[in-house]
Amino acid sequence: SSEEGQGRHSIIIADTGKGIAPEQLRYLQRVFSGKVKPEAGVNGLGMGMLLVYHFAQKNNVKLHIESELGAGSCFCAVWEA
């Protein structure tokens, strides 16, 4: 979507999957906000999330995530035009 007059664009991807466990969600939110560096593996991010993170960092894209176990997840990428 685009916000007219503000030059801001976003992509929202949502699913109705199993969701993300609260402790993993907190970790992802800390990574996306730049408070911790991402790590791959069991306690870190999967390959897809690492690729998204690095793409966002290189292109000045802000990432937001919400999730509920058993209900799914919603990922939002926002950038200036």
Side-chain angles (χ1 to χ4, degrees):
S1 72
S2 293
E3 297 178 23
E4 280 188 46
Q6 295 185 7
R8 200 175 305 172
H9 303 281
S10 64
I11 295 175
I12 298 172
I13 300 170
D15 68 35
T16 56
K18 64 181 183 176
I20 300 171
E23 62 276 356
Q24 187 70 8
L25 180 59
R26 281 190 295 276
Y27 174 73
L28 285 172
Q29 290 168 334
R30 290 186 60 167
V31 168
F32 289 168
S33 69
K35 293 180 181 171
V36 297
K37 285 189 135 191
E39 298 178 21
V42 175
N43 295 319
L45 304 176
M47 180 61 80
M49 293 302 287
L50 279 173
L51 292 171
V52 168
Y53 171 80
H54 288 293
F55 173 83
Q57 291 296 310
K58 289 180 187 254
N59 293 285
N60 200 27
V61 174
K62 302 291 183 212
L63 299 171
H64 307 278
I65 181 173
E66 294 179 11
S67 186
E68 183 179 337
L69 279 177
S73 303
C74 180
F75 298 84
C76 180
V78 180
W79 68 96
E80 300 291 327

